Amino acid sequence: MEYYTLLTIVYSIAEHSMQFSIWFTSEDECWSVLLGIDTLYNMINATEGYCQVSDIPSNSVKPKPRPW
């Protein structure tokens, strides 16, 4: 089962540390944005980034229909 994952990116502007977060539906999506080439992380020259997996499922298994 996959869980919502929070990407947090930390960067600096004029000696002030700033951060923002983006939700993704899976941990793989989060890490691909963080570690990929020409990603948001690289465009803003971020200093730190991490993916934090939540305990909220991003997809659920649908129950099978009953015959009655």
Side-chain angles (χ1 to χ4, degrees):
M1 182 173 285
E2 294 185 352
Y3 296 90
Y4 284 106
T5 303
L6 184 65
L7 167 65
T8 302
I9 294 180
V10 180
Y11 60 100
S12 297
I13 296 179
E15 299 180 15
H16 295 285
S17 181
M18 312 275 291
Q19 73 178 18
F20 65 91
S21 300
I22 303 171
W23 285 102
F24 289 94
T25 56
S26 71
E27 186 176 8
D28 290 338
E29 287 181 50
C30 181
W31 284 111
S32 68
V33 169
L34 189 59
L35 300 176
I37 299 171
D38 293 332
T39 61
L40 182 60
Y41 182 84
N42 293 330
M43 285 189 247
I44 63 170
N45 295 324
T47 58
E48 185 179 339
Y50 51 90
C51 295
Q52 186 176 16
V53 180
S54 73
D55 58 350
I56 303 168
S58 61
N59 57 7
S60 59
V61 178
K62 293 182 181 179
K64 294 182 180 180
R66 301 288 181 192
W68 57 87

